[in-house]
Amino acid sequence: MLTRAGDEMPTGTPMKDIEELNQAFYNAIESGDLDKMSEIWIEDVPGRPATCVHPGWPMLTGRSEVLRSWALIMANTPYIQFVLTDVQTTVIGDVAVVTCAENILTAADTDEPGFAAGRVVASSTYVRTGTGWRLWLYHGSPVLQSDDDEEDQEQ
């Protein structure tokens, strides 16, 4: 970005850049935009492959395997919406970590119209590369509801 005087102006702080990229990650999932998802994930280099752990899945290693998993999720999810809470962002040098709770609303897996809700705690690790910040590792873990939680929701 250039100022009127022609001097370069920074595009933003690393913290702001990471928060915007993290939101773009969730927007890509919600809109089923695999091209955008591809832009967000890092290219594999020796010793630093892209890595992803979806809730309930085994660890996926390598950019092509990770992007294939997102393509499958997007193709088989007619509707999904995320409300992020407890978001914490830490930037140390060329590495950033975002932790959050994903409160998820999705189309129910039944013949009846409706929605299903769930909660996942997630960690995303971003690395600054020559082409900007890229997602290196995503790990989502489901939060199991207790019987007390289910009773509270029914009341």
Side-chain angles (χ1 to χ4, degrees), residues 70-113:
W70 286 111
L72 287 169
I73 290 169
M74 291 173 181
N76 291 292
T77 306
Y79 175 81
I80 192 165
Q81 180 182 3
F82 292 87
V83 176
L84 304 181
T85 56
D86 305 319
V87 179
Q88 298 288 322
T89 304
T90 304
V91 179
I92 301 173
D94 291 337
V95 177
V97 176
V98 179
T99 58
C100 66
E102 302 171 349
N103 301 281
I104 304 167
L105 183 65
T106 188
D109 271 345
T110 65
D111 292 335
E112 298 293 320

Side-chain angles (χ1 to χ4, degrees), residues 43-49:
E43 295 289 335
D44 292 335
V45 297
R48 195 198 64 205

